């Protein structure tokens, strides 16, 4: 069973950068896609970015397009989210997830989730 472990969150000033990582603790990524989602206090979990594992095509929410980059390292079974030009509204708990075969941007289409990592952007 896939077990996802996120890391790389923290506190950063507006305009700064962070890089999140998501590793399969068993080293056996086999899902259709990997996605990053985020959830701010009092809000629903929302799609941020996704990457199809086999071919590497990427997809982004409009709110992060041009600032965030999702990538993967096949050898390390790890997915990354490089976040640049961070804004206060990017503050949230960020989750990686595996699945997405029938909807890359839909929370309900992902069946395995990490524990989340907090990202706080101070203005």
């Amino acid at each position: 069973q896939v077990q996802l472990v996120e890391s790389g969150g923290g506190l950063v000033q507006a305009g700064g950068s962070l890089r999140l990582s998501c590793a399969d603790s068993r080293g056996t990524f086999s899902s259709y896609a990997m996605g990053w989602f985020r959830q701010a206090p009092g809000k629903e979990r929302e799609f941020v970015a996704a990457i199809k594992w086999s071919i590497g095509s990427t997809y982004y929410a409009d709110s992060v397009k041009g600032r965030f980059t999702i990538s993967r390292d096949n050898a390390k079974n790890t997915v990354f989210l490089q976040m640049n030009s961070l804004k206060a509204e990017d503050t949230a708990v960020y989750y990686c997830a595996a699945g997405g075969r029938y909807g890359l941007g839909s929370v309900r289409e992902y069946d395995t989730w990490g524990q989340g990592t907090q990202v706080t952007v101070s203005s």
Side-chain angles (χ1 to χ4, degrees), residues 43-86:
K43 295 188 177 181
E44 293 186 352
R45 192 169 298 189
E46 65 175 5
F47 171 74
V48 174
I51 185 167
K52 291 184 179 179
W53 191 249
S54 60
I55 61 176
S57 52
T58 58
Y59 307 83
Y60 298 94
D62 288 342
S63 59
V64 306
K65 203 170 293 183
R67 300 188 298 122
F68 291 10
T69 302
I70 188 172
S71 61
R72 75 199 194 292
D73 183 329
N74 293 39
K76 296 182 179 180
N77 292 298
T78 301
V79 174
F80 304 99
L81 185 69
Q82 178 67 42
M83 305 185 295
N84 298 329
S85 301
L86 283 161

Side-chain angles (χ1 to χ4, degrees), residues 95-110:
Y95 299 88
C96 70
R101 179 175 294 276
Y102 303 108
L104 288 171
S106 175
V107 170
R108 64 185 180 185
E109 296 300 334
Y110 289 79

Side-chain angles (χ1 to χ4, degrees), residues 85-98:
S85 301
L86 283 161
K87 306 175 182 180
E89 51 262 45
D90 294 318
T91 295
V93 176
Y94 282 71
Y95 299 88
C96 70

